[in-house]
Every structure is written in structure tokens, then in C-alpha cells.
Amino acid sequence: MIIIKKNGDKLFKNIIFLIGLFTILPVFIILAFILFKGLMGINFDFLFSMPSDGMRSGGIFPAIIGSIYLTIGTILFSVPFGIFTGVYLVEYAKETPLTRFINLTIINLAGIPSIIYGLFGMALFVIFLNFGSSILSGSLTLGIMCLPVIITAVREALLSVPNTLREASLALGATKWETIYKVVLPAASPGILTGIILSVSRAAGETAPIMFTAAAFYFPFLPSGIFDQVMALPYHLYVISTQVPNMPIENMYGTLLVLVVITIGFNLIGAFVRNRFKNKH
């Protein structure tokens, strides 16, 4: 019986391993294909020069800078509000039908298509608040899109912290805010940072929200302020793939590779910070 049980466990383990392998294998194949095709179009001029000849030649430097600006703006607008909202819902708000409705609404907002956020951002920021199509409008729109994911991640991470830690801190004379700031948030930081990484990575590759609020079809200059339009890699890739005739194929794959590298780069930075917090606390 023991031998049969061990063989069954080993077989089940192998099946799970094969399922996981077949799940992630297509991802690595796609990444290898993008890397192989994209490297043919990558050079110094492509990365650090302005586009020319209707974007058929030149580089993608303004699109790279625009994507970085939009991603940083998204972080600045979404992360503080997401963390404070999650802290309030878990640590301060009482359990009432209203708070349960708010939590359910936040979860549902995380599943809304990104184009809805783009139309909302255009109506509110571009038209109503008269920010125009700009970095500010795009960052605010992407920030709102990221908020539900960040709030949910913060809420779940805080709920996973044992109440005994809170009680021990309060028993030692710490105030509620000191307990949250010095005990609860550090303990929940790996889960919080995971949610932030996932939401920001999604925002860095979105096209629909910035199409209506920030991205320019052709803008071969660097922005001078937050009220300027920008080129952005996701929208630029969409444009050169569908709207520009006779576009060299290596330019499309090169742009795609740069976008993937930037997205993975933000993930790696976030994972590094998360591991530092995890090891420290």
C-alpha cells in the first residue's frame, strides 16, 4: 500500500509538472520569437533617434520616453491612493452593507475592459476638466484603471496579516497608526507590491486608454510638460502595424521587443523591491 501510494504521488507530481510546463512553454516560445525577430531591427539610431519618413525610418526614442513618462505618472497617481484606500477599508472602516458593496464594486471594476476607462478618461480629463490629450490625462486614466487591482491586492494582503501582530503592537503602547505603519504594512508588503507590479505592468502595455487621452499618431519631439501629447510604444506599435503602408517588418518587431523589455524591466524592478522587503521583514 505504501509503495502504491508513493507511486501515485509521484505520478500526480509528474502530471502537474507536465501541465505547468505546457502552460509556460508557449510563453517562452513567443518571447524567443520576439527576441529573434526584434534584434534584427535594434540598433543605436533606432533606440535614440526621432522617427522620420512617416515613421518608416528613424527611431522610436520619443515613444520610449513617452511610455516611461506615462508609466511613472500612473505609479504616482495610483499607488498612494490605492494603498491608503486599502488601509482604510481594512483597518478603519466598519463591516457594514455599504463597505461590503464598496468592496464588491472595486472587485468588479478590475474586470472592466480598458477601452471603457479610455472613454471615461477622455470625457472627464480631456473634455470636462480641459486637460486636453496629454501626459496628465493619460496618467490619470491609467491610474484609475490600476486602482481596483491595487486596492484589492492591498486589502487581501492586510487581511492575511494575523491579528496577533496588531494586538501585540497595541499592547506594547503603540498607536493604531504606528501599528499599521511599522508592523502591518511591512508584513503585508510582499502581497501589496505584487499587486502593484501586476497593475503597472498591465498599464505599461495598454493601448486603448492612451489612444483617447494621451497618445499622438506622429509627434517626433520630446514632451516639454505634462500637458503635452506623447508618442507611446503600445499605440506606436498599433499605428505602424495597421496604419502605415510599406512599414519595414524589422521596425515592428524591434518596437515590440523594446515594449516587452520595458514591461519586463518594470516587473524585475518591482520583484527586486518586493524581495528586499520580504527578506528585511
Side-chain angles (χ1 to χ4, degrees):
M1 289 295 294
I2 296 176
I3 296 176
I4 294 175
K5 186 176 180 180
K6 288 184 177 179
N7 290 335
D9 290 341
K10 186 176 181 180
L11 176 62
F12 183 74
K13 182 180 178 180
N14 290 335
I15 291 174
I16 295 297
F17 172 77
L18 289 175
I19 292 174
L21 180 63
F22 283 118
T23 301
I24 64 173
L25 188 61
V27 177
F28 286 104
I29 293 175
I30 292 171
L31 289 177
F33 180 78
I34 293 173
L35 182 65
F36 175 75
K37 290 286 188 176
L39 286 176
M40 294 188 296
I42 297 293
N43 53 56
F44 184 85
D45 289 336
F46 182 75
L47 295 176
F48 296 103
S49 64
M50 303 296 175
S52 58
D53 190 26
M55 296 183 288
R56 295 183 185 86
S57 60
I60 58 171
F61 188 62
I64 295 174
I65 297 300
S67 293
I68 293 174
Y69 282 172
L70 288 171
T71 304
I72 292 174
T74 302
I75 294 172
L76 293 177
F77 289 126
S78 63
V79 172
F81 286 103
I83 291 176
F84 283 125
T85 302
V87 169
Y88 174 78
L89 290 174
V90 174
E91 303 293 338
Y92 291 100
K94 296 181 179 180
E95 185 70 18
T96 64
L98 178 60
T99 56
R100 287 195 292 269
F101 174 75
I102 292 173
N103 288 325
L104 180 61
T105 302
I106 290 171
I107 293 173
N108 290 331
L109 285 174
I112 291 179
S114 59
I115 193 170
I116 304 299
Y117 286 103
L119 293 172
F120 171 79
M122 181 181 67
L124 178 61
F125 302 122
V126 177
I127 299 174
F128 182 75
L129 295 178
N130 200 28
F131 292 158
S133 182
S134 61
I135 297 174
L136 180 60
S137 297
S139 298
L140 287 169
T141 302
L142 291 172
I144 291 176
M145 186 187 71
C146 291
L147 271 178
V149 177
I150 295 177
I151 294 172
T152 302
V154 172
R155 182 174 176 273
E156 295 301 322
L158 293 176
L159 289 173
S160 69
V161 177
N163 282 328
T164 52
L165 291 179
R166 298 176 175 87
E167 294 169 357
S169 177
L170 294 171
L172 292 173
T175 64
K176 187 173 182 63
W177 171 244
E178 287 175 335
T179 299
I180 294 171
Y181 178 68
K182 295 183 179 180
V183 178
V184 178
L185 283 176
S189 59
I192 294 173
L193 288 171
T194 299
I196 292 173
I197 293 168
L198 292 174
S199 61
V200 172
S201 298
R202 175 193 174 191
E206 284 288 352
T207 302
I210 62 174
M211 182 188 301
F212 302 107
T213 58
F217 183 90
Y218 181 65
F219 191 76
F221 310 100
L222 295 181
S224 58
I226 60 174
F227 291 101
D228 286 350
Q229 277 189 301
V230 288
M231 294 181 70
L233 285 171
Y235 184 63
H236 179 68
L237 181 60
Y238 164 75
V239 167
I240 63 176
S241 301
T242 61
Q243 307 297 319
V244 180
N246 302 320
M247 171 60 62
I249 191 69
E250 58 269 16
N251 285 9
M252 290 188 282
Y253 279 112
T255 304
L256 177 59
L257 177 60
V258 173
L259 177 60
V260 169
V261 169
I262 290 177
T263 304
I264 294 176
F266 276 108
N267 275 274
L268 292 177
I269 293 172
F272 174 77
V273 175
R274 180 187 61 193
N275 290 334
R276 288 292 299 270
F277 270 91
K278 187 175 180 180
N279 295 331
K280 185 176 180 180
H281 300 285

